[in-house]
C-alpha cells in the first residue's frame, strides 16, 4: 500500500501562491547552498502526482518542459472535453476514488492547490503532510487549505530547520470520521 503525501511550500501566514497563482515569491528566499529541501529524494519515491487544474495551468505557463516526467500525472478538474496529453490525464469525476486506487498501487504526491488539499484532508486520504514554511509574509494569496477544511488533528512527526530559515514540518493525519465529500463543491454530504 502506498501513501498520499502533500509536499508543499507556504508563506509564514499560510499562503501557497499569490491570488493569480504565481509562486515567484519563492525565488526571493535566500538559498546560498542551493538546498533542494529533499525534493529529489522525495520525487524519486513517487509513482503518481495529483493536482488541481489551476495548479496545472500555473505550471504549464512556466514555459519549461513538464517537470514530472517520471510519474503518472493526474489533474483534477470539472472542465469537460479536455484531452489527455502525453504528460497528464485529466480526471473530471470520481476524484476520491482515483486517489484510493492510486494509493493501492504506490505513492502519490499531492501537489495542490488549496481546494484539492482540503478535499483530501476532509476525506482522510492524506497520509502525510510535508509543509515548508518559508520565511516570507504575503499580503494576499491562496490559502494552504481552500474552501472549508474540517477541524482536524495532526501529529507532528518531524521538524527540520534549514540554514536559510525555512522550517520543514512533517505531519501525519488522524481521521476517524465517516464523512464523504462532494469533490466538486467541497461540501460534506
Amino acid at each position: 500500500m502506498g501513501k498520499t503525501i502533500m509536499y508543499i511550500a507556504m508563506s509564514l501566514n499560510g499562503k501557497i501562491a499569490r491570488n493569480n497563482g504565481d509562486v515567484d515569491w519563492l525565488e526571493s528566499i535566500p538559498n546560498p547552498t542551493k538546498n533542494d529541501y529533499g525534493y529529489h529524494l522525495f520525487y524519486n519515491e513517487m509513482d503518481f502526482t495529483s493536482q488541481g487544474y489551476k495548479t496545472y495551468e500555473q505550471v504549464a505557463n512556466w514555459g519549461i518542459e513538464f517537470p514530472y516526467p517520471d510519474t503518472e500525472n493526474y489533474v483534477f478538474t470539472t472542465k469537460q472535453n479536455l484531452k489527455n496529453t502525453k504528460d497528464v490525464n485529466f480526471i473530471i469525476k470520481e476524484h476520491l476514488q482515483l486517489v484510493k486506487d492510486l494509493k493501492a498501487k504506490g505513492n502519490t504526491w499531492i501537489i495542490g492547490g488549496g481546494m484539492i488539499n482540503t478535499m483530501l484532508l476532509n476525506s482522510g486520504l492524506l497520509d502525510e503532510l510535508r509543509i515548508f514554511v518559508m520565511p516570507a509574509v504575503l499580503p494576499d494569496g491562496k490559502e494552504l487549505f481552500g474552501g472549508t477544511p474540517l477541524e482536524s488533528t495532526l501529529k507532528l512527526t518531524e521538524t527540520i530547520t534549514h540554514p536559510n530559515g525555512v522550517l520543514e514540518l512533517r505531519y501525519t493525519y488522524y481521521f476517524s470520521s465517516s464523512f464523504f465529500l462532494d469533490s466538486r463543491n467541497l461540501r460534506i454530504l
Side-chain angles (χ1 to χ4, degrees), residues 77-148:
T77 184
T78 57
K79 295 182 181 290
Q80 303 292 318
N81 303 321
L82 291 174
K83 297 201 184 302
N84 293 342
T85 70
K86 68 179 180 67
D87 296 317
V88 301
N89 299 294
F90 294 101
I91 307 300
I92 59 172
K93 57 185 177 178
E94 304 295 332
H95 299 130
L96 295 177
Q97 187 58 52
L98 173 69
V99 173
K100 290 175 188 174
D101 294 345
L102 295 178
K103 189 173 175 173
K105 298 177 188 175
N107 294 323
T108 303
W109 173 15
I110 306 304
I111 296 174
M115 297 303 273
I116 299 300
N117 295 344
T118 298
M119 178 181 69
L120 296 174
L121 179 82
N122 287 357
S123 66
L125 287 174
L126 282 177
D127 294 302
E128 185 178 337
L129 293 79
R130 293 187 191 178
I131 301 171
F132 295 81
V133 181
M134 308 307 270
V137 174
L138 298 179
D140 57 25
K142 298 181 183 282
E143 301 286 333
L144 176 64
F145 293 103
T148 307

Side-chain angles (χ1 to χ4, degrees), residues 145-182:
F145 293 103
T148 307
L150 294 176
E151 185 172 325
S152 304
T153 302
L154 304 173
K155 177 182 178 186
L156 182 64
T157 59
E158 188 173 5
T159 304
I160 301 169
T161 304
H162 295 278
N164 62 345
V166 172
L167 183 60
E168 181 178 345
L169 305 172
R170 295 185 184 191
Y171 293 96
T172 55
Y173 179 60
Y174 298 115
F175 189 83
S176 59
S177 180
S178 60
F179 289 114
F180 293 95
L181 199 63
D182 177 328

Side-chain angles (χ1 to χ4, degrees), residues 62-74:
W62 286 345
I64 61 172
E65 280 189 45
F66 189 73
Y68 318 116
D70 302 320
T71 56
E72 284 183 40
N73 305 288
Y74 297 90

Side-chain angles (χ1 to χ4, degrees), residues 9-20:
M10 72 174 191
S11 68
L12 187 60
N13 59 330
K15 311 296 184 189
I16 58 174
R18 296 187 188 280
N19 280 334
N20 66 0

Side-chain angles (χ1 to χ4, degrees), residues 29-38 40 161-166:
I29 308 300
N31 190 2
T33 62
K34 307 294 183 212
N35 184 353
D36 80 346
Y37 308 106
H40 286 93
T161 304
H162 295 278
N164 62 345
V166 172

